[in-house]
Amino acid sequence: MNSPLRLFIASAMLVCTCLPVAAQRTDDRPNILFILLDDLGKEWVSAYGAEDIETPVVDALAAGGIKFNNFYVMPQCTPTRLSLMTGQMPFRHGWVNHWDVPRWGGGAHYDDGVNPTLARNMKRAGYATAVAGKWQVNDFRVQPEAMVEMGFDDYCMWTGGEGNNPPSDERYWDPYIHTKEGSRTYPGEYGDTIFTDFLIDFMREHRDEPMMLYYAMCLPHTPFVTTPSEPDVTGDLNRHKAMVRYTDELTGRLVQALDDLGLRDDTIIIWTCDNGTASSVTGTRNGRCVRGAKAQTIEAGINVPFIVNAPGRVPAGMESNALITIADMSPTFADITDIELAPQYVYDGVPVTDALLGKSPTSPHEFIMAMGGRNEAKLTDAGVENAYVYRDRVLRTERFKLYVDTN
């Protein structure tokens, strides 16, 4: 064989090996990548009019999909996360306050025998399931296999700050992370980078089967720290901005991995947050200063960014005023994957599939609700108790809002 021909064949082989190879899937149901940030309101996402930050990757997801204006979560961390996993509102699943189980204990934990779990539903549907990031509703020292019990095939989790274990407080630099190999510190590494790498590896391993990936980012929750991309930034506000920019960068890595694996057209990406920004941070949105409203039932605390992107399944450049809540996710995923929810439970969320996929401008909801402003739980000899007999809440239609106090 002459040299020019040999060079041409070698070059062609190199090009072929660099191109994305479509996954060999026989199941046409979509993958679901659900990204949940920790403490970030609309005033820090430029697609929603934020003026003090640029989030180009998330903006591109919004431009190529649907940006929702009325997506309600709970004003605190764990009530939102339990509503996501159970499809229930806090008054039903019981987590009406934030409660950091590894740190405070008190007998509280997410009991998969009492409440439904989204991941177990997806496993019954034949999905490979993975979770990475923040959990905080089980103590892995007590339940080392809690994530498997919840229905996840694999996991890579920050443990939460465990009582009497100072290294476990670290979620960013030198993070303390729990995997199937146990819990340990990762010196010199950055938590959310590890979580992103883990999810990409899981995508690669399970590319030939439908997947449900839940990424509960630790970012950009306090403490305000530097990031691998901006290691020298100083000051709390500048570090907050750097952390938000790093969430955008990591989102981009996940999107690129889907592209590289030939899975982009088979995947629904949902990008959202668990509650508003910490009150110590103020941003500018559409010409107005917005103080972070975490733990408050005003709009900046509970009406968070919610973007859905799925090429070929979701129209591009659409904006929706449909009323949707975090509790709708479990019933909606069940509807998309064509499975029945476990019948022994009551669900407060409803399937909002048509709104989610841009087929309807409205959802089945006449109103949506959030509840549990401020953290009013206390630990007594009887266990974890709510400080009020009746928890505060807010009801919202497209036009009106009703605030209900603790009386």
Side-chain angles (χ1 to χ4, degrees):
M1 184 181 296
N2 61 51
S3 296
L5 181 58
R6 184 182 296 111
L7 179 62
F8 171 78
I9 292 174
S11 300
M13 289 176 66
L14 178 61
V15 170
C16 290
T17 60
C18 293
L19 292 173
V21 180
Q24 302 300 310
R25 292 181 52 176
T26 58
D27 192 326
D28 62 357
R29 293 176 300 172
N31 304 313
I32 297 173
L33 171 59
F34 191 89
I35 302 173
L36 182 76
L37 274 68
D38 198 354
D39 293 2
L40 192 74
K42 292 177 180 177
E43 73 275 15
W44 290 104
V45 180
S46 46
Y48 280 93
E51 299 176 16
D52 302 323
I53 197 82
E54 293 293 333
T55 51
V57 174
V58 175
D59 293 355
L61 290 178
I66 307 176
K67 181 178 72 173
F68 288 84
N69 295 321
N70 295 314
F71 179 72
Y72 260 26
V73 293
M74 306 307 128
Q76 298 182 67
C77 171
T78 47
T80 290
R81 292 160 195 271
L82 266 292
S83 292
L84 166 66
M85 291 299 295
T86 63
Q88 299 171 331
M89 296 298 287
F91 66 80
R92 195 176 309 279
H93 61 60
W95 296 73
V96 296
N97 301 286
H98 171 65
W99 194 260
D100 192 342
V101 172
R103 179 174 287 116
W104 299 319
H109 65 283
Y110 179 14
D111 188 340
D112 62 295
V114 174
N115 298 114
T117 84
L118 183 155
R120 275 215 307 264
N121 287 336
M122 301 302 290
K123 274 190 67 65
R124 287 195 299 113
Y127 273 63
T129 56
V131 59
K134 174 178 171 177
W135 190 248
Q136 281 190 302
V137 290
N138 296 87
D139 188 335
F140 298 137
R141 294 169 296 182
V142 178
Q143 297 174 273
E145 291 296 310
M147 305 315 301
V148 173
E149 294 164 9
M150 296 297 167
F152 291 103
D153 293 318
D154 208 352
Y155 54 88
C156 181
M157 314 301 296
W158 174 51
T159 62
E162 297 175 338
N164 302 312
N165 184 21
S168 67
D169 289 332
E170 302 304 326
R171 70 190 85 180
Y172 297 124
W173 292 110
D174 303 326
Y176 193 79
I177 291 176
H178 182 68
T179 68
K180 287 185 175 180
E181 284 69 51
S183 300
R184 67 177 179 89
T185 294
Y186 290 70
E189 299 192 55
Y190 199 83
D192 276 293
T193 308
I194 294 174
F195 303 142
T196 302
D197 290 341
F198 164 82
L199 289 172
I200 291 172
D201 288 343
F202 190 89
M203 290 180 194
R204 188 176 294 112
E205 182 179 351
H206 296 273
R207 58 183 296 188
D208 296 337
E209 54 190 314
M211 294 177 283
M212 193 279 288
L213 308 168
Y214 172 32
Y215 185 7
M217 276 196 194
C218 289
L219 290 162
H221 192 291
T222 54
F224 299 117
V225 299
T226 61
T227 70
S229 295
E230 299 180 67
D232 300 320
V233 67
T234 60
D236 283 352
L237 181 58
N238 288 330
R239 285 175 175 171
H240 166 76
K241 292 179 180 180
M243 293 165 81
V244 175
R245 285 190 286 266
Y246 201 54
T247 71
D248 195 68
E249 181 180 331
L250 294 178
T251 300
R253 286 194 57 210
L254 291 167
V255 174
Q256 186 61 54
L258 290 169
D259 277 329
D260 293 343
L261 292 170
L263 297 173
R264 187 69 177 86
D265 292 344
D266 298 318
T267 303
I268 298 174
I269 299 175
I270 300 175
W271 193 94
T272 187
C273 312
D274 67 347
N275 48 245
T277 315
S279 61
S280 60
V281 180
T282 297
T284 307
R285 181 184 177 218
N286 296 326
R288 297 179 60 187
C289 287
V290 180
R291 183 182 178 185
K294 174 182 178 177
Q296 299 180 59
T297 51
I298 61 176
E299 289 294 283
I302 55 178
N303 189 341
V304 297
F306 187 76
I307 294 167
V308 179
N309 182 291
R313 298 175 189 267
V314 169
M318 185 173 173
E319 191 168 341
S320 175
N321 291 320
L323 301 175
I324 301 177
T325 81
I326 190 72
D328 295 328
M329 295 300 98
S330 190
T332 301
F333 293 175
D335 188 49
I336 289 173
T337 56
D338 196 28
I339 62 168
E340 295 289 334
L341 290 168
Q344 67 268 37
Y345 301 106
V346 176
Y347 300 90
D348 301 301
V350 298
V352 293
T353 309
D354 286 348
L356 196 80
L357 299 181
K359 297 177 181 178
S360 172
T362 62
S363 77
H365 288 296
E366 294 183 19
F367 67 89
I368 51 179
M369 184 181 81
M371 63 182 296
R374 306 184 310 277
N375 193 31
E376 301 290 352
K378 58 184 178 180
L379 182 61
T380 72
D381 291 341
V384 180
E385 294 187 2
N386 183 21
Y388 302 110
V389 173
Y390 190 84
R391 204 67 171 90
D392 61 308
R393 64 202 67 198
V394 59
L395 309 178
R396 161 79 190 272
T397 68
E398 284 195 17
R399 184 178 180 187
F400 295 111
K401 233 181 136 173
L402 173 66
Y403 288 96
V404 184
D405 67 16
T406 55
N407 296 315

